Amino acid sequence: MVPSRLLSVGPRTVFGGVGRWTRVAPGQLPWHAPPRLLSASCADLSKHQEPPGKKPLSEKKLKRHFVDHRRVLIRGGCGGDGVSCFHSEPRKEFGGPDGGDGGDGGHVILKADQQVKSLSSVLSRYQGFHGQAGGRKNCSGRGGAVLYIRVPVGTLVKEGSEVVADLSCPGAEYVAARGGAGGKGNRFFLANDNRAPVTCTPGQPGQERVFFLELKTVAHAGMVGFPNAGKSSLLRAISNARPAVASYPFTTLKPHVGIVRCDDHQQIAVADIPGIVRGAHRNRGLGSAFLRHVERCRFLLFVLDLSEPEPWTQLEDLKWELEQHEAGLSQRPHVVVANKVDLPEARAAVPRLRARLGPSAVALSAATGENVEALLLRLRELHRQHVATEPQRGRQPLRG
């Protein structure tokens, strides 16, 4: 027998697709269709209703972009408004004013963080958190929370042409924009000659300032050389850093910092500066954008390509470019590194190089690791001299 629930007659309304209901006759009902089709249609409807959103860049993709300068507009949080109200209670006709004060706006603080390596994560605009308005019963509004902007260690903060902060130490802070003061409620204006004030003040706006952030890599030693001199290969040979290495010039497009660990548990930070060309101080090649990363290095490694004819002229050109960028930069303690001695023509040029520059030049091969230990000894010696002569700088947070 046919069940009675299948003998119902009359038109019915069924779900006919995404966002559409269809009225059909009893003989047209799809009894053979499995019930999962209805659930699938509902799933399609919910999927259709969700607008596709733009996915933010992942942290891995964000680290691919190296940014060493940024213009930032920062606004402090606005203060909350004061409230004008009076106490209301049964059998108490004159309760008096009880309007609370507004909360202060939140500050915006720049903070140096060792985990941040680039200014790519810094936005172009920041707005501090606003304070809440006051309430009844003399309740003050909640103050705005402090907004921290994490920047790399070595960030220089400029306002116009003036340097206002140098965040060269981990944890250093600078108050970029202060929040506005909260408004006063009418309770604040209560006096003997005014027992029922109705005056209240609005919250003050926060500071608005425009900064230019400039990143200068913080390292003990900086490797300076022309393109394809083998700086990245040398950094891979003396540290655990893994910059890209290829047989064409300008492989390195951003500074890389590697840590050289000595036997006495000392750590020396060595920066691989992108290749400098003749006329870099006039913004040729990669320009002077990366020359400023050498400014913080206390001693330098001039990496020369021994496979080139007359390699000692490279040292003169490199010192000239550094001196044109900043006076006295080329006079810092340095080591001359002659690379690529694994090539026959380069090994033949070592005696002539030392005759020109003296026996202190270190001839090595970053590809095979030949004589790399001599460079590590020289690095350790320069680091000891730097520690002995450099005064200990305090690490107190900077406050604007």
Side-chain angles (χ1 to χ4, degrees):
M1 294 181 63
V2 180
S4 59
R5 57 186 176 89
L6 297 180
L7 297 177
S8 59
V9 295
R12 295 189 180 186
T13 302
V14 298
F15 188 71
V18 176
R20 185 174 71 255
W21 291 85
T22 306
R23 190 175 182 84
V24 297
Q28 298 177 350
L29 288 176
W31 300 111
H32 60 281
R36 58 183 175 86
L37 293 179
L38 182 60
S39 61
S41 300
C42 295
D44 294 340
L45 178 62
S46 62
K47 182 178 180 180
H48 177 74
Q49 290 178 347
E50 294 179 358
K54 184 178 179 180
K55 295 182 179 180
L57 287 176
S58 63
E59 187 69 19
K60 183 178 181 180
K61 292 183 179 179
L62 197 61
K63 290 180 180 179
R64 296 178 183 175
H65 307 280
F66 181 81
V67 179
D68 58 355
H69 61 278
R70 178 78 79 183
R71 179 186 180 273
V72 186
L73 172 63
I74 301 179
R75 296 190 184 98
C78 299
D81 299 334
V83 175
S84 176
C85 59
F86 292 86
H87 183 71
S88 177
E89 187 179 347
R91 295 180 298 275
K92 191 172 183 179
E93 183 177 359
F94 303 102
D98 66 348
D101 301 336
D104 296 333
H107 303 328
V108 182
I109 298 179
L110 298 173
K111 185 174 183 179
D113 191 347
Q114 287 183 316
Q115 302 299 324
V116 182
K117 304 301 181 183
S118 169
L119 293 175
S120 59
S121 60
V122 178
L123 305 178
S124 59
R125 293 188 179 184
Y126 284 94
Q127 173 65 61
F129 296 100
H130 302 310
Q132 292 185 349
R136 305 179 63 90
K137 299 182 181 179
N138 299 321
C139 293
S140 299
R142 183 175 60 185
V146 178
L147 175 61
Y148 287 95
I149 304 175
R150 300 192 307 160
V151 296
V153 177
T155 301
L156 208 63
V157 184
K158 296 182 179 179
E159 189 172 13
S161 58
E162 179 186 0
V163 178
V164 295
D166 186 1
L167 307 179
S168 58
C169 300
E173 298 178 358
Y174 176 73
V175 181
R178 297 185 178 274
K184 301 297 183 183
N186 63 338
R187 174 72 180 182
F188 177 80
F189 298 97
L190 179 63
N192 292 331
D193 55 348
N194 188 6
R195 305 302 300 173
V198 295
T199 305
C200 62
T201 59
Q204 299 297 318
Q207 284 184 325
E208 179 176 334
R209 304 171 70 180
V210 178
F211 295 100
F212 296 90
L213 305 182
E214 182 179 311
L215 174 60
K216 295 182 180 180
T217 304
V218 178
H220 298 107
M223 288 195 296
V224 183
F226 287 110
N228 209 22
K231 301 182 297 298
S232 299
S233 300
L234 183 58
L235 185 64
R236 294 169 67 101
I238 65 177
S239 69
N240 290 330
R242 291 296 177 263
V245 175
S247 59
Y248 53 85
F250 296 109
T251 308
T252 303
L253 298 178
K254 62 181 181 179
H256 292 274
V257 179
I259 303 299
V260 179
R261 292 176 172 82
C262 304
D263 296 337
D264 55 354
H265 305 287
Q266 292 288 335
Q267 295 184 354
I268 306 175
V270 181
D272 175 17
I273 309 299
I276 299 175
V277 299
R278 293 174 177 87
H281 68 279
R282 295 192 300 267
N283 211 24
R284 291 187 57 188
L286 293 179
S288 59
F290 292 105
L291 281 175
R292 62 170 171 263
H293 293 281
V294 191
E295 297 176 9
R296 295 186 184 272
C297 300
R298 297 307 173 185
F299 45 93
L300 305 176
L301 302 179
F302 290 104
V303 183
L304 310 182
D305 187 358
L306 277 180
S307 62
E308 296 291 332
E310 297 184 354
W312 50 85
T313 59
Q314 302 176 27
L315 179 62
E316 300 174 359
D317 295 335
L318 291 173
K319 287 187 175 182
W320 167 258
E321 295 297 333
L322 294 181
E323 196 66 25
Q324 293 301 313
H325 176 72
E326 181 182 344
L329 189 58
S330 62
Q331 303 300 324
R332 294 185 181 180
H334 62 271
V335 179
V336 178
V337 181
N339 195 14
K340 302 184 181 180
V341 296
D342 53 307
L343 301 178
E345 62 273 15
R347 189 177 297 273
V350 173
R352 291 182 296 162
L353 177 73
R354 289 179 173 171
R356 294 270 185 167
L357 304 180
S360 60
V362 180
L364 54 80
S365 172
T368 61
E370 180 183 351
N371 207 26
V372 173
E373 292 294 333
L375 175 61
L376 295 178
L377 293 177
R378 295 295 302 277
L379 275 177
R380 185 176 177 182
E381 180 183 353
L382 288 176
H383 183 259
R384 284 181 176 177
Q385 295 176 2
H386 161 67
V387 173
T389 57
E390 184 74 8
Q392 295 293 330
R393 295 179 297 176
R395 295 192 176 184
Q396 296 297 330
L398 300 176
R399 295 291 180 178

